[in-house]
Amino acid sequence: MTKYIVVSGGVISGIGKGVIASSTGTLLKSLGLVVTAIKIDPYLNIDAGLMTPLDHGEVFVLNDGGEVDLDLGNYERFLDVELSRINNITTGKIYREVIEKERKGDYLGKTVQVVPHVTDAIQNWVENVVSMPTGPSGEKPDVCIIELGGTVGDIESAPFVEAMRQFQFRVGHDNFCLIHVSLVPVVGSVGEQKTKPTQMSVRDLRGAGLMPDLIACRSSKPLDESVASKISMFCHVAPEQVLAVHDVSSVYHVPLLLREHGVIDFFRRRLNLDALKISDERRLAGEKLWEQWSSLTRSYEYCHESVSIAIVGKYVDLHDSYISVYKALEHASLAYQRKINIKWIDASDLETDTLKISPLKYHESWQNLCSADGVLVPGGFGSRGVEGMIMAAKWAREHKIPYLGICLGMQVSVIEFARNVCGMPEANSAEIDEKAKDPVVVYMPEISKTHMGGTMRLGLRPTIFQKGSEKSKVRKLYGNKLSVDERHRHRYEVNPIHVSKFEAKGLKFIGKDETGERMEIVELDDHPFFVGCQYHPEYLTRPLNPCPLFRGLILAAMGQIDKI
């Protein structure tokens, strides 16, 4: 039977439940087990698609077009799996399902209540996820990790906590385990570690009917032995069940930290993992994975040279808005033994209006842009900051600085080229100016203009390399394939009626969709690396398998693009 590991949180949100859940999955996968993951988000939204990145961080897109919480990106990167929208549960999804059943008469006239109808729907959803194939050969998961978003005690998460309380009896004690992640703050001039918040959150958890098997104590420094003993005593767990998860140099070290604390041996005993049948092939694959992971963390420690990339975006106040972009850059730089130095630039600060309002911010932003080894303009929506992005693209093109534009970043590079090379000074995007004289970026005709949620061009779609692209740097980075499958999330596209004009001036559209009408990849002639893509390559990055386009940007920033 499938084993379930629930990861809950206490004290505050955002203390690393997702990383601990992902790291736990990595450890179990190193044993040769097939692992899947579920993220429970207790908000009423159906999905994360319409949320601002400044509230919850990036919206992560899956192969099936699901727009989900960024933690599913962590799961995919750590576990090297491809999840689907069913792996993200929200209150909105559960209530919609329950209400639709009620309208169809499935409850046979009963009064529909949170208990049992909503809690049953949550448990059934979890079991549906586990019934889906996850492994590379279509195996069903041996272990399912369930991250419970928010903190225990929140009103909105109460139905999910109750569902997990019931679920532990549905699946049995030997198949259910709970990790509670709590904060141990360091206060005062002497740096004293306080245990009371953890004691209170564990008390709330027990009051809800759930008992922690492991308490992962997050702290800025290693946990003092006396503090761990105190938590063990007052939270009614053995000393070995208290995990000190202090800040480390990178998230890739967390699985090693958990392994040092004996987490694997604990799970072997607590969940009777040795009773699971694991083929020799999977066992060997797990051992190889752990060797590669350990090597990755060592290489991180011994990277002494760095490469700097300017990220010119709209949501840089919250770096999690671009977490997949950051991870893709980090993975690519580690592949070439470099540490990544990100220069975060708010695109609006590059615009001349900022010079009048805040000259210091304006000059600092331009200094960061001009001193970077490469420039990356990521995706985004709306008009704010677009002119600053266009200026960044112009700087990179004119000064032969490596440039990668993703989604909106590709579109602004086309607008810049149209204005400054093709003699179209009023070129713009219909998203920015609906009445633009020269709309070089237009609204896709099949996209709804009345409904926003889930109506974009979403998910995994093919990009076909065009005839004549055989010598393209991008195509070489992709191993000279005829086509590639990448994830998309956009409403606007390059206007195909202007393509011939751009190509005549050297901006080549080397990748298009199956119809040949939708532009997917653009590459500039006579430039070390000036590339734009309509898709989001960062969604498929892996620590041990970086994205080709990000590898290209890093190589170009190192001055070694000719090595591909």
Side-chain angles (χ1 to χ4, degrees):
M1 186 176 180
T2 302
K3 310 294 182 179
Y4 297 89
I5 298 174
V6 175
V7 180
S8 64
V11 186
I12 60 172
S13 60
I15 55 173
K17 294 191 302 294
V19 172
I20 288 175
S22 303
S23 300
T24 300
T26 301
L27 287 178
L28 295 169
K29 194 169 180 181
S30 73
L31 300 178
L33 297 170
V34 177
V35 183
T36 191
I38 296 172
K39 173 66 188 297
I40 293 175
D41 288 305
Y43 45 66
L44 279 169
N45 306 61
I46 297 297
D47 59 31
L50 297 180
M51 290 184 175
T52 170
L54 293 174
D55 277 354
H56 284 271
E58 133 188 298
V59 177
F60 192 77
V61 176
L62 303 170
N63 281 355
D64 64 358
E67 297 173 285
V68 297
D69 184 84
L70 60 84
D71 277 316
L72 274 84
N74 275 328
Y75 304 157
E76 288 204 340
R77 288 189 287 270
F78 271 73
L79 303 178
D80 193 19
V81 295
E82 292 177 351
L83 304 175
S84 64
R85 67 184 74 208
I86 195 176
N87 293 81
N88 190 202
I89 306 175
T90 68
T91 299
K93 287 180 180 178
I94 294 296
Y95 275 57
R96 180 175 66 178
E97 181 181 287
V98 170
I99 290 169
E100 285 176 352
K101 279 188 171 184
E102 189 274 333
R103 291 291 82 190
K104 287 189 289 186
D106 289 356
Y107 295 118
L108 301 176
K110 293 180 180 177
T111 302
V112 181
Q113 298 175 293
V114 172
V115 180
H117 302 104
V118 170
T119 53
D120 281 352
I122 295 166
Q123 295 175 73
N124 293 339
W125 193 300
V126 170
E127 290 186 330
N128 286 341
V129 172
V130 169
S131 68
M132 296 173 58
T134 302
S137 303
E139 308 101 327
K140 291 183 180 179
D142 300 306
V143 180
C144 178
I145 295 173
I146 305 168
E147 181 189 346
L148 183 56
T151 57
V152 173
D154 292 345
I155 293 173
E156 58 264 30
S157 65
F160 295 101
V161 173
E162 170 60 20
M164 292 300 101
R165 184 195 70 79
Q166 297 173 20
F167 194 64
Q168 65 184 326
F169 302 112
R170 182 188 285 204
V171 299
H173 180 74
D174 288 346
N175 300 311
F176 184 94
C177 182
L178 190 144
I179 303 173
H180 187 63
V181 185
S182 183
L183 178 68
V184 178
V186 178
V187 299
S189 57
V190 295
E192 183 183 2
Q193 294 176 321
K194 291 293 187 178
T195 66
K196 194 64 71 177
T198 297
Q199 294 179 45
M200 296 300 101
S201 70
V202 171
R203 184 186 64 183
D204 289 344
L205 186 69
R206 289 181 179 279
L210 289 168
M211 316 289 265
D213 293 286
L214 291 171
I215 301 175
C217 301
R218 288 286 291 110
S219 183
S220 57
K221 65 178 185 178
L223 211 62
D224 294 338
E225 190 174 332
S226 60
V227 173
S229 298
K230 190 174 181 181
I231 291 172
S232 167
M233 179 185 301
F234 287 103
C235 294
H236 197 59
V237 294
E240 60 269 20
Q241 292 172 262
V242 178
L243 307 178
V245 188
H246 57 82
D247 292 350
V248 287
S249 56
S250 80
V251 294
Y252 312 115
H253 288 76
V254 177
L256 279 73
L257 186 63
L258 295 180
R259 186 172 174 131
E260 287 172 7
H261 281 299
V263 166
I264 287 181
D265 290 334
F266 176 82
F267 284 136
R268 282 187 191 276
R269 297 191 306 270
R270 175 65 181 77
L271 296 173
N272 194 22
L273 295 181
D274 292 332
L276 297 174
K277 293 181 180 179
I278 305 171
S279 67
D280 291 338
E281 182 182 359
R282 278 167 48 190
R283 199 180 301 276
L284 288 171
E287 291 173 0
K288 183 180 178 182
L289 167 67
W290 187 250
E291 289 174 7
Q292 292 174 326
W293 197 274
S294 301
S295 176
L296 175 74
T297 56
R298 286 193 298 270
S299 67
Y300 189 92
E301 294 294 336
Y302 295 115
C303 287
H304 301 299
E305 295 183 77
S306 64
V307 59
S308 62
I309 301 293
I311 295 182
V312 183
K314 297 162 65 74
Y315 318 114
V316 295
D317 287 343
L318 181 66
H319 295 175
D320 273 0
S321 300
Y322 301 113
I323 188 169
S324 288
V325 170
Y326 174 78
K327 293 301 178 185
L329 287 169
E330 187 176 53
H331 299 164
S333 60
L334 283 174
Y336 298 111
Q337 292 77 52
R338 296 289 193 280
K339 281 194 175 178
I340 190 70
N341 174 23
I342 302 293
K343 296 176 182 286
W344 298 95
I345 301 173
D346 190 316
S348 300
D349 294 342
L350 297 174
E351 298 172 3
T352 51
D353 287 347
T354 304
L355 178 61
K356 302 171 187 174
I357 301 168
S358 178
L360 180 61
K361 187 179 290 186
Y362 174 83
H363 289 297
E364 282 180 349
S365 298
W366 272 103
Q367 184 180 24
N368 283 333
L369 179 67
C370 297
S371 62
D373 298 320
V375 177
L376 190 151
V377 178
F381 298 92
S383 60
R384 183 180 64 83
V386 168
E387 290 300 323
M389 294 178 182
I390 292 172
M391 292 176 183
K394 184 173 186 285
W395 165 266
R397 180 182 58 80
E398 292 181 341
H399 293 83
K400 306 291 186 184
I401 304 299
Y403 175 91
L404 176 60
I406 297 171
C407 197
L408 177 61
M410 168 182 160
Q411 294 170 8
V412 300
S413 70
V414 172
I415 296 170
E416 187 280 322
F417 193 83
R419 289 180 182 179
N420 300 305
V421 179
C422 297
M424 303 167 66
E426 296 185 64
N428 214 330
S429 167
E431 182 178 12
I432 313 306
D433 181 3
E434 291 184 3
K435 299 178 181 178
K437 182 180 178 181
D438 292 311
V440 297
V441 176
V442 295
Y443 203 89
M444 290 187 289
E446 72 271 27
I447 303 299
S448 171
K449 291 190 176 183
T450 58
H451 288 72
M452 301 290 286
T455 58
M456 285 188 276
R457 183 170 179 251
L458 294 163
L460 196 72
R461 296 170 184 269
T463 293
I464 315 298
F465 284 109
Q466 301 300 293
K467 187 178 180 181
S469 65
E470 291 77 14
K471 294 183 179 180
S472 155
K473 296 184 184 76
V474 171
R475 190 162 177 181
K476 287 179 182 177
L477 286 165
Y478 277 107
N480 292 309
K481 293 179 179 178
L482 296 176
S483 67
V484 292
D485 293 326
E486 295 279 2
R487 295 177 181 177
H488 294 68
R489 185 177 186 249
H490 64 113
R491 287 191 179 91
Y492 292 83
E493 63 175 332
V494 173
N495 193 340
I497 68 173
H498 295 298
V499 166
S500 59
K501 186 183 296 185
F502 299 146
E503 292 199 319
K505 293 287 187 177
L507 192 66
K508 305 295 185 183
F509 292 88
I510 62 165
K512 301 180 182 180
D513 74 344
E514 317 95 301
T515 68
E517 295 295 320
R518 187 154 283 154
M519 306 304 118
E520 293 281 4
I521 306 173
V522 63
E523 186 173 10
L524 182 64
D525 288 344
D526 193 30
H527 193 286
F529 191 84
F530 193 93
V531 173
C533 57
Q534 187 58 70
Y535 52 80
H536 288 263
E538 70 272 20
Y539 291 146
L540 291 177
T541 187
R542 300 288 187 267
L544 302 173
N545 186 20
C547 299
L549 291 185
F550 284 85
R551 287 195 292 108
L553 178 63
I554 295 298
L555 274 174
M558 293 165 54
Q560 299 178 19
I561 191 62
D562 293 334
K563 288 186 176 181
I564 59 173

